[in-house]
Amino acid sequence: MIRVCALYRFASFPDPAALREPLLAIAEANGIRGTLLLASEGINGTVAGSTHAIEALLAHIRTLPGCADVDYKDSSAETMPFHRMKVRLKREIVSMGVEGIDPTREVGTYVAGEEWNALIADPDTLLIDTRNDYEVAIGTFDGAVDPGTRSFRDFPDWFRQNRDELMAGKSKVAMFCTGGIRCEKATAFLKAEGVADVFHLDGGILKYLETMPEEKSRWNGECFVFDARVAVGHGLAQGSHGLCHGCRMPVSPEDRASPLYVEGVSCPACHGTRDAERLAAYAERHRQEALAAARGQAHVGARYPSAEDARDEPQPL
């Protein structure tokens, strides 16, 4: 089994560019693949490798300024879920686009799983899913509001435009995301907007699914993850969703049974949106991937959702 480690830490990096090469060198020397993002506000990423390799990388990250207590969450995969190792420099480790938001100064109150169930069952609580629309579509918590955003950068405008309606009759706001990082910024943003009682799920959906017994869970569906597994369920077990290699969106078993689904080419969501030349290119890519798989090799052109594809974060944060 491959150890998949999702990590993040908001910290002050005066010169994030100087941290890039040492991180990349340690990762590559230990056979680690995945994506790490560096910015002046900290580090975020998901990587995969052997347990020994991941421990070596975490040991290095803990030596970075403010990262001694780096937050990370482990899961596993039967095969390597990434094809290469990337360390990228960014303006933000999770892109919100609002100046002055600093989770190291003020964030919402962290709530653990058992207390979370009681909080979101309270009629005075407004529950918001801060993830993107394609993530929400395959699973969310009972009663959660879906902002319908395509990018986390859309979240601030969405909240400002709908605040009065959303907050009507509500005294508390609870928010959640895949692993916690988006909620760090979302709760800091709501605090800056003058919302007093703001809470977020400690460890995100993945920690909840890992630790909450299914019979007590208020989660419905699966959780989208930004690697080759595509989705996980309770106990972080492999989910049933696949990925459309045409539009990079998750596809359910029902989607794959549709006559509009062509493996490696298109799905019901993107059918009819690509020209013949593009579809032919997708079909050829799929053919080459199948040939490589038959030889026991990874196709060099294969790629899965990454931090760059998702625009917001490497999973699960």
Side-chain angles (χ1 to χ4, degrees):
M1 298 295 287
I2 303 295
R3 179 176 172 182
V4 182
C5 181
L7 61 95
Y8 77 89
R9 182 69 174 178
F10 283 100
S12 178
F13 291 166
D15 185 8
L19 308 179
R20 180 182 180 276
E21 289 303 324
L23 270 172
L24 183 61
I26 288 175
E28 291 183 336
N30 284 278
I32 294 171
R33 299 179 188 176
T35 298
L36 292 173
L37 306 183
L38 289 170
S40 59
E41 66 178 7
I43 185 170
N44 175 26
T46 303
V47 292
S50 69
T51 294
H52 175 79
I54 296 299
E55 286 299 329
L57 181 64
L58 288 172
H60 176 79
I61 291 172
R62 291 188 185 103
T63 68
L64 304 181
C67 291
D69 296 322
V70 61
D71 186 23
Y72 70 92
K73 297 166 190 68
D74 286 329
S75 56
S76 61
E78 292 185 2
T79 59
M80 173 59 73
F82 303 107
H83 292 282
R84 53 185 65 85
M85 183 66 214
K86 297 175 286 187
V87 181
R88 297 188 181 278
L89 299 175
K90 296 285 186 178
R91 288 177 57 87
E92 301 176 82
I93 57 172
V94 56
S95 298
M96 175 176 264
V98 178
E99 293 294 331
I101 299 301
D102 184 358
T104 64
R105 292 201 307 262
E106 184 177 38
V107 293
T109 301
Y110 297 91
V111 181
E114 288 289 347
E115 292 76 21
W116 178 258
N117 284 353
L119 174 66
I120 66 176
D122 187 337
D124 290 334
T125 300
L126 168 65
L127 179 62
I128 301 176
D129 192 331
T130 66
R131 300 171 303 151
N132 297 328
D133 52 6
Y134 58 91
E135 299 171 81
V136 179
I138 71 170
T140 192
F141 281 104
D142 293 334
V145 175
D146 175 10
T149 52
R150 289 287 297 166
S151 167
F152 188 53
R153 295 178 69 90
D154 299 330
F155 181 83
D157 284 344
W158 171 83
F159 181 79
R160 287 167 174 163
Q161 291 167 10
N162 296 280
R163 176 174 178 165
D164 291 345
E165 180 181 354
L166 290 166
M167 297 296 299
K170 305 293 184 181
S171 62
K172 297 172 284 190
V173 179
M175 295 187 284
F176 62 94
C177 57
T178 311
I181 189 170
R182 277 179 276 195
C183 286
E184 297 266 10
K185 279 205 167 176
T187 58
F189 168 73
L190 260 66
K191 287 281 192 178
E193 294 289 300
V195 181
D197 293 326
V198 185
F199 304 85
H200 54 139
L201 179 59
D202 191 11
I205 300 163
L206 291 189
K207 186 66 174 179
Y208 184 91
L209 292 178
E210 180 184 13
T211 59
M212 180 62 61
E214 188 169 357
E215 62 273 14
K216 295 182 179 180
S217 175
R218 296 180 62 89
W219 175 264
N220 289 314
E222 297 177 352
C223 180
F224 184 84
V225 292
F226 294 84
D227 59 52
R229 296 170 299 168
V230 183
V232 296
H234 284 92
L236 302 184
Q238 176 79 42
S240 64
H241 284 76
L243 191 75
C244 173
H245 286 201
C247 65
R248 322 307 296 174
M249 292 295 103
V251 288
S252 67
E254 292 76 19
D255 292 329
R256 294 195 292 275
S258 167
L260 302 181
Y261 177 76
V262 180
E263 188 175 359
V265 178
S266 64
C267 70
C270 67
H271 179 80
T273 64
R274 305 289 197 276
D275 60 29
E277 183 178 358
R278 181 66 64 85
L279 292 175
Y282 290 165
E284 176 59 22
R285 178 186 62 189
H286 181 65
R287 189 180 74 85
Q288 293 295 333
E289 289 175 354
L291 290 172
R295 297 191 298 266
Q297 300 172 340
H299 177 48
V300 294
R303 65 193 272 276
Y304 293 92
S306 66
E308 188 174 37
D309 297 319
R311 298 178 301 278
D312 293 329
E313 59 173 349
Q315 180 68 6
L317 308 163

